[in-house]
């Protein structure tokens, strides 16, 4: 990809990296761009007013979807001269939480394919010429997962709720670990693995907190006395519903086709399981705090 002026190439453009910067309510998707001036470039041409339009390529046959305009981190004017080292510039694209969530849904667990359209003005001996060129850039799963961590997406924005955290010596460390592994599977598009980890996380939390028998009793109560259930009992019924929904064996639908978990299923379960494990952790910490207070008295 390159810009040209009066038949001469004046700058070759290369994407050298992509990373994220966390913000408040929004983050910055950053692209590192190198501008190489060829030895055969026409001297005395100045490039300015750089801009980058970023589109996302989706399914085959569909037009790329607009993501946003990335602006240079600092103003840049590039003059062509022989022997010049490559000029590097960071282009920043603000991403709101909703955009990041929509981007993840569009990606669907696959690589992220970007269509980058660069524009600039080239001012030279024969006047000002507008410049425009496009390049496709692919981010594989491991690279995009790294960018998501830098954007703090895995902690909040992609799922929509905070992932639980606890100390390494907590009785719920296994349940919390499984929630985080489930999120890693979601990023990589392994939706059945998300479902499996969510089920095991909920079961682990129930056993670790000693609430398994209460959940079983709640399941029986749900069949006969829904109106008399407390808020905590209704939460227990949600835990039992997650276990029921996440049976690991695939079943057949009414048309005889095998049923598989989709990204939407995985998102729903991960959000629900993360919230339930967080609530269990809060109850456990509260009981430990009350236990310490009683001991001091």
């Amino acid at each position: 990809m390159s810009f040209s002026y009066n038949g001469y190439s004046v700058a070759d453009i290369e994407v050298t990296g992509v990373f994220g910067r966390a913000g408040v309510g929004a983050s910055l998707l950053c692209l590192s761009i190198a501008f190489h001036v060829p030895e055969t470039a026409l001297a005395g041409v100045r490039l300015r007013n750089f801009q980058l339009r970023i589109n996302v390529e989706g399914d085959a046959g569909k037009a790329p979807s607009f993501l946003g305009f990335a602006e240079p981190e600092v103003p840049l004017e590039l003059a062509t001269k022989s022997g010049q080292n490559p000029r590097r510039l960071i282009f920043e694209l603000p991403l709101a939480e909703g955009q990041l969530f929509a981007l993840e849904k569009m990606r669907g667990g696959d690589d992220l394919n970007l269509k980058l359209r660069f524009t600039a003005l080239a001012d030279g001996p024969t006047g000002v010429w507008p410049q425009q060129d496009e390049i496709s850039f692919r981010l594989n799963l491991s690279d995009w997962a790294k960018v998501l961590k830098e954007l703090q997406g895995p902690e909040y924005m992609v799922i929509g709720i905070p992932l639980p955290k606890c100390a390494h010596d907590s009785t719920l460390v296994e349940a919390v670990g499984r929630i985080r592994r489930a999120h890693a599977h979601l990023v990589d598009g392994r939706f059945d693995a998300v479902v499996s980890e969510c089920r095991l996380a909920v079961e682990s939390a129930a056993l670790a907190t000693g609430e398994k028998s209460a959940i079983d009793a709640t399941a029986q109560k749900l069949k006969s006395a829904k109106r008399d259930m407390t808020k905590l009992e209704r939460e227990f019924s949600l835990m039992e519903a997650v276990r029921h929904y996440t049976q690991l064996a695939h079943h057949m639908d009414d048309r005889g086709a095998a049923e598989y978990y989709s990204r939407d299923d995985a998102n729903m379960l991960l959000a629900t399981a993360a919230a339930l494990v967080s609530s269990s952790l809060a109850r456990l910490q509260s009981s430990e705090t009350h236990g310490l207070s009683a001991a001091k008295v």
Side-chain angles (χ1 to χ4, degrees):
M1 174 182 176
S2 63
F3 289 154
S4 61
Y5 185 93
N6 202 21
Y8 291 89
S9 176
V10 292
D12 296 327
I13 304 174
E14 177 190 8
V15 181
T16 60
V18 180
F19 60 96
R21 287 174 175 166
V24 178
S27 297
L28 293 174
L29 180 64
C30 303
L31 292 88
S32 177
I33 309 298
F35 296 90
H36 304 267
V37 177
E39 293 183 1
T40 56
L42 180 65
V45 177
R46 307 182 76 86
L47 291 168
R48 53 185 170 83
N49 291 26
F50 290 90
Q51 190 178 63
L52 171 58
R53 178 189 174 109
I54 301 179
N55 293 327
V56 181
E57 296 186 288
D59 298 334
K62 291 186 178 180
S65 300
F66 173 70
L67 184 61
F69 285 101
E71 297 290 343
E73 182 181 34
V74 295
L76 172 68
E77 186 174 275
L78 181 63
T80 59
K81 58 183 178 181
S82 61
Q84 179 171 293
N85 292 327
R87 293 288 302 275
R88 301 183 185 276
L89 187 64
I90 302 298
F91 282 78
E92 299 176 329
L93 172 67
L95 283 179
E97 294 176 12
Q99 277 183 290
L100 189 55
F101 184 87
L103 182 60
E104 277 294 272
K105 187 169 185 179
M106 178 183 296
R107 188 177 65 86
D110 295 326
D111 295 344
L112 181 64
N113 299 309
L114 302 178
K115 179 74 79 171
L116 309 175
R117 189 177 75 185
F118 286 87
T119 59
L121 293 178
D123 193 349
T126 59
V128 178
W129 291 22
Q131 302 291 312
Q132 178 176 305
D133 209 342
E134 283 189 339
I135 186 174
S136 293
F137 185 76
R138 176 187 292 267
L139 274 164
N140 61 34
L141 288 175
S142 59
D143 289 338
W144 179 241
K146 180 176 180 292
V147 173
L148 279 178
K149 290 179 181 179
E150 293 167 342
L151 292 168
Q152 294 187 345
E155 294 300 317
Y156 179 81
M157 292 183 291
V158 174
I159 299 176
I161 62 171
L163 295 180
K165 296 181 180 180
C166 67
H168 291 294
D169 58 351
S170 171
T171 56
L172 283 182
V173 67
E174 180 180 349
V176 171
R178 289 192 178 278
I179 289 295
R180 292 182 171 274
R181 284 196 292 275
H183 181 267
H185 290 318
L186 181 68
V187 171
D188 290 342
R190 298 192 291 269
F191 304 137
D192 281 2
V194 174
V195 173
S196 175
E197 290 289 357
C198 286
R199 176 187 175 91
L200 294 173
V202 170
E203 290 181 340
S204 176
L207 292 171
T209 56
E211 296 172 340
K212 179 65 169 60
S213 59
I215 293 172
D216 292 340
T218 298
Q220 294 299 319
K221 186 175 182 180
L222 181 63
K223 298 177 180 179
S224 58
K226 297 180 181 179
R227 294 183 178 179
D228 297 331
M229 293 174 64
T230 65
K231 177 176 174 289
L232 181 57
E233 287 174 332
R234 292 174 190 272
E235 182 174 325
F236 288 161
S237 69
L238 280 176
M239 298 182 77
E240 180 62 24
V242 168
R243 290 184 64 254
H244 179 69
Y245 187 81
T246 55
Q247 293 293 335
L248 301 186
H250 292 302
H251 300 285
M252 308 300 287
D253 62 17
D254 54 6
R255 295 172 297 177
E259 291 184 322
Y260 293 93
Y261 294 106
S262 67
R263 179 178 179 80
D264 288 338
D265 297 330
N267 263 324
M268 176 192 70
L269 284 169
L270 183 51
T272 304
L276 290 170
V277 171
S278 293
S279 184
S280 296
L281 183 60
R283 286 197 301 276
L284 183 64
Q285 292 171 339
S286 177
S287 64
E288 291 174 349
T289 300
H290 291 325
L292 289 174
S293 297
K296 291 179 180 179
V297 173

